[in-house]
């Protein structure tokens, strides 16, 4: 599911380059974690109330 807070591919590429993030095998893609953080910040919801399509809040 797409949310208005989700990053575009261009925005994500810029962030990856700015933070010098390396591609490696991960359980959850970093863009998904980043999108969850953006959703959390914009909506003000609690960590445990994140929608189910995001990784578990403990991550």
């Amino acid at each position: 599911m797409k949310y208005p807070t989700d990053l575009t591919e261009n925005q994500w590429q810029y962030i990856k380059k700015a933070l010098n993030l390396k591609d490696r095998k991960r359980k959850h893609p970093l863009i998904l974690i980043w999108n969850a953080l953006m959703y959390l910040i914009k909506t003000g919801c609690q960590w445990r109330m994140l929608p189910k399509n995001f990784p578990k809040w403990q991550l």
Side-chain angles (χ1 to χ4, degrees):
M1 176 178 242
K2 295 290 278 178
Y3 294 99
T5 55
D6 286 356
L7 296 172
T8 65
E9 189 59 35
N10 286 342
Q11 290 170 323
W12 177 240
Q13 292 305 320
Y14 179 81
I15 290 169
K16 273 179 58 174
K17 186 176 180 181
L19 296 178
N20 197 21
L21 297 175
K22 304 292 185 214
D23 288 328
R24 65 181 186 136
K25 185 175 173 135
R26 300 174 189 270
K27 185 173 182 178
H28 300 284
L30 281 180
I31 190 168
L32 191 58
I33 304 296
W34 198 280
N35 283 339
L37 290 170
M38 297 294 285
Y39 180 89
L40 184 83
I41 291 166
K42 181 68 175 177
T43 64
C45 76
Q46 296 174 357
W47 280 102
R48 294 177 186 197
M49 299 293 290
L50 281 172
K52 299 288 184 210
N53 58 323
F54 289 123
K56 291 184 180 182
W57 65 271
Q58 294 94 334
L59 295 174

